[in-house]
mmCIF file of all heavy atoms in Angstrom:
data_model
loop_
_atom_site.group_PDB
_atom_site.id
_atom_site.type_symbol
_atom_site.label_atom_id
_atom_site.label_comp_id
_atom_site.label_asym_id
_atom_site.label_seq_id
_atom_site.Cartn_x
_atom_site.Cartn_y
_atom_site.Cartn_z
ATOM 1 N N CYS A 40 114.361 104.929 134.835
ATOM 2 C CA CYS A 40 115.574 105.733 134.760
ATOM 3 C C CYS A 40 115.740 106.344 133.360
ATOM 4 O O CYS A 40 115.671 105.641 132.363
ATOM 5 C CB CYS A 40 116.784 104.870 135.083
ATOM 6 S SG CYS A 40 118.335 105.768 134.922
ATOM 7 N N PHE A 42 118.401 107.467 132.190
ATOM 8 C CA PHE A 42 119.804 107.362 131.762
ATOM 9 C C PHE A 42 120.211 105.960 131.347
ATOM 10 O O PHE A 42 121.309 105.737 130.886
ATOM 11 C CB PHE A 42 120.727 107.862 132.883
ATOM 12 C CG PHE A 42 120.353 109.232 133.359
ATOM 13 C CD1 PHE A 42 120.023 109.465 134.685
ATOM 14 C CD2 PHE A 42 120.305 110.296 132.463
ATOM 15 C CE1 PHE A 42 119.662 110.732 135.118
ATOM 16 C CE2 PHE A 42 119.941 111.572 132.893
ATOM 17 C CZ PHE A 42 119.615 111.785 134.214
ATOM 18 N N HIS A 43 119.323 104.987 131.550
ATOM 19 C CA HIS A 43 119.596 103.674 130.977
ATOM 20 C C HIS A 43 118.267 103.021 130.607
ATOM 21 O O HIS A 43 117.220 103.424 131.098
ATOM 22 C CB HIS A 43 120.449 102.809 131.931
ATOM 23 C CG HIS A 43 119.669 102.117 133.013
ATOM 24 N ND1 HIS A 43 119.347 102.710 134.211
ATOM 25 C CD2 HIS A 43 119.136 100.875 133.057
ATOM 26 C CE1 HIS A 43 118.668 101.860 134.972
ATOM 27 N NE2 HIS A 43 118.523 100.733 134.287
ATOM 28 N N CYS A 61 119.855 105.779 141.059
ATOM 29 C CA CYS A 61 119.348 104.702 140.214
ATOM 30 C C CYS A 61 120.024 103.395 140.602
ATOM 31 O O CYS A 61 121.250 103.297 140.577
ATOM 32 C CB CYS A 61 119.604 104.980 138.733
ATOM 33 S SG CYS A 61 119.169 103.554 137.708
ATOM 34 N N GLY A 63 119.814 100.734 138.969
ATOM 35 C CA GLY A 63 120.222 100.022 137.752
ATOM 36 C C GLY A 63 121.614 100.438 137.307
ATOM 37 O O GLY A 63 122.527 99.619 137.215
ATOM 38 N N CYS A 64 121.785 101.737 137.042
ATOM 39 C CA CYS A 64 123.073 102.185 136.496
ATOM 40 C C CYS A 64 123.922 102.875 137.562
ATOM 41 O O CYS A 64 125.036 103.315 137.275
ATOM 42 C CB CYS A 64 122.846 103.103 135.300
ATOM 43 S SG CYS A 64 121.968 104.628 135.685
HETATM 44 ZN ZN1 ZN B 601 119.770 104.196 135.645
#
Side-chain angles (χ1 to χ4, degrees):
C40 177
F42 307 122
H43 82 275
C61 173
C64 63

